Amino acid sequence: MTSIGLKHGLAFFAIALAASCFALAATSPSTAQRAPLLMTLPVKCEVGKTCLIQKLVDHDATFERRDYRCGTLTTDGHDGTDIRLRTMEDMRSGFAVVAAAPGTVLRIRDGEPDVSSRERIDLKGKDAGNGIVIDHGKGWETQYSHLRQGSIGVKPGQQIIASQKLGLVGMSGNAEFPHLHFTVRHDGKIIDPFTGDTQGSACDAAAPATGIWTAETARGLRYLPTAVISIGLASTVPSKSVADRINVPSLASRQAPVILWADVIGAKLGDTQKFDIIGPDGRSVHRQQAQIADGGLSWFAYSGKRAPAAGWPAGQYTGIYMIQRNGVAIAKSEIQQILD
């Protein structure tokens, strides 16, 4: 989840900065003064459906955090855009990482395992995991981190075109779930592709998601501060760590509990979460709502019920999870599963 930062992986990517990003941001040229470069989404996925944007570039120059819309869809000092997959199964199925713009491959690294960073004591400076750096000319570079081990299909010096496949989304390096950490630089300074401005520049609560994206790409990048990553029906509570869910848990038997679980981005203190499990006859067998007392970028929750004495009836069960903020539904997801 935490990707390469200014203090990680610099030996590999050979970036020499004379001052911090925040200091550089104050003297960097505006978007209008830079040579233009338009970029496409660096993952072959549909945002909001097959993938989600977990984190954005941090625009707060202090120890606080603010994304380009003045929200909290970031962490302190975060220098890129995290495009995540929903499950480990999605990672294994293979989602292509592609070049955001034409250019020349500068550096690559491969061979790092796709293992949760929680299980790796020392990353030996390879926080970015398997990665690629591309030179786009006129001071522009892009970096693609946490690629799947063995998936990189380009070489240093190779000329590439926009949307050309580079590798696959993975979980190598300092990552706790499968995602691409995408970083844009101009003359060594971090650029937020959603605004075209440097890291540390002022946020804007009404800013459109245009920046340096192509018009087609920007149309699919609606700002979603809160979203359901994935939900499931199961007989046991799964690990809240996506990386630990080797297989998606399911309903095991008619005598086992029925549990609805959910992974969420951007749940906030005071939000109301609602669980509803509907049985084969269309009636609710379990319903619960509670106020969220914590929240954050990653939120995991579950609720369920033990089987009745006669066991659950066979048939289709539906799970519905919802988050409400100030009485308005802001995120909702539904899943069906057959119990034999």
Side-chain angles (χ1 to χ4, degrees):
M1 184 165 64
T2 303
S3 303
I4 183 171
L6 294 179
K7 64 180 181 179
H8 297 304
L10 296 186
F12 166 60
F13 290 111
I15 301 163
L17 297 181
S20 73
C21 280
F22 299 130
L24 288 168
T27 59
S28 63
S30 67
T31 306
Q33 292 173 311
R34 287 191 208 99
L37 178 69
L38 294 179
M39 298 188 173
T40 60
L41 192 71
V43 179
K44 284 292 184 183
C45 64
E46 187 174 356
V47 176
K49 293 186 178 181
T50 55
C51 63
L52 293 165
I53 294 178
Q54 174 95 25
K55 287 199 289 186
L56 299 162
V57 172
D58 180 23
H59 280 257
D60 191 283
T62 70
F63 294 107
E64 299 298 323
R65 57 187 173 111
R66 287 289 181 270
D67 58 44
Y68 76 96
R69 289 284 297 269
C70 302
T72 55
L73 205 63
T74 187
T75 50
D76 183 35
H78 196 250
D79 67 353
T81 302
D82 284 358
I83 304 171
R84 71 165 292 165
L85 303 182
R86 295 179 182 272
T87 66
M88 294 297 291
E89 286 70 27
D90 288 340
M91 186 186 83
R92 288 195 290 268
S93 70
F95 277 77
V97 173
V98 298
T104 304
V105 177
L106 290 181
R107 294 175 288 279
I108 68 169
R109 177 169 63 211
D110 206 341
E112 294 299 306
D114 295 290
V115 177
S116 171
S117 56
R118 294 185 181 189
E119 299 180 20
R120 303 185 68 184
I121 298 174
D122 184 5
L123 292 167
K124 301 185 185 302
K126 298 177 181 179
D127 289 50
N130 305 313
I132 301 170
V133 176
I134 295 176
D135 177 14
H136 303 282
K138 298 183 180 179
W140 289 96
E141 283 186 359
T142 52
Q143 179 176 311
Y144 311 75
S145 302
H146 307 311
L147 275 65
R148 201 167 94 181
Q149 183 179 25
S151 73
I152 294 177
V154 294
K155 298 178 179 179
Q158 182 176 341
Q159 300 293 312
I160 55 171
I161 61 174
S163 297
Q164 181 173 333
K165 183 179 177 181
L166 305 174
L168 297 174
V169 176
M171 198 177 66
S172 58
N174 193 4
E176 295 179 12
F177 50 79
H179 72 285
L180 171 73
H181 179 85
F182 176 64
T183 305
V184 180
R185 300 185 185 89
H186 184 259
D187 292 337
K189 305 171 185 66
I190 301 298
I191 304 296
D192 186 343
F194 285 83
T195 65
D197 291 325
T198 50
Q199 184 180 42
S201 59
C203 63
D204 180 354
T210 52
I212 56 175
W213 299 117
T214 65
E216 181 181 0
T217 298
R219 281 194 291 271
L221 294 177
R222 183 167 61 92
Y223 180 76
L224 288 174
T226 306
V228 178
I229 303 168
S230 61
I231 65 171
L233 287 167
S235 293
T236 57
V237 179
S239 169
K240 70 177 183 178
S241 169
V242 175
D244 291 339
R245 289 188 222 135
I246 303 303
N247 297 300
V248 177
S250 61
L251 298 177
S253 75
R254 294 172 59 185
Q255 283 69 44
V258 172
I259 296 167
L260 174 62
W261 58 268
D263 278 326
V264 182
I265 293 172
K268 292 186 176 181
L269 173 69
D271 287 349
T272 297
Q273 60 180 357
K274 294 185 176 183
F275 299 85
D276 196 6
I277 302 174
I278 301 169
D281 61 0
R283 293 186 295 180
S284 179
V285 300
H286 176 69
R287 185 173 290 165
Q288 183 186 49
Q289 73 174 54
Q291 192 173 62
I292 293 176
D294 188 3
L297 270 172
S298 295
W299 174 254
F300 176 78
Y302 64 90
S303 183
K305 188 174 183 179
R306 296 171 188 257
W312 297 109
Q316 178 175 281
Y317 285 75
T318 300
I320 302 172
Y321 178 83
M322 178 191 303
I323 288 185
Q324 291 183 331
R325 185 169 299 155
N326 300 321
V328 178
I330 57 171
K332 182 179 179 181
S333 190
E334 181 175 319
I335 189 170
Q336 288 82 35
Q337 193 173 127
I338 301 295
L339 178 60
D340 296 326

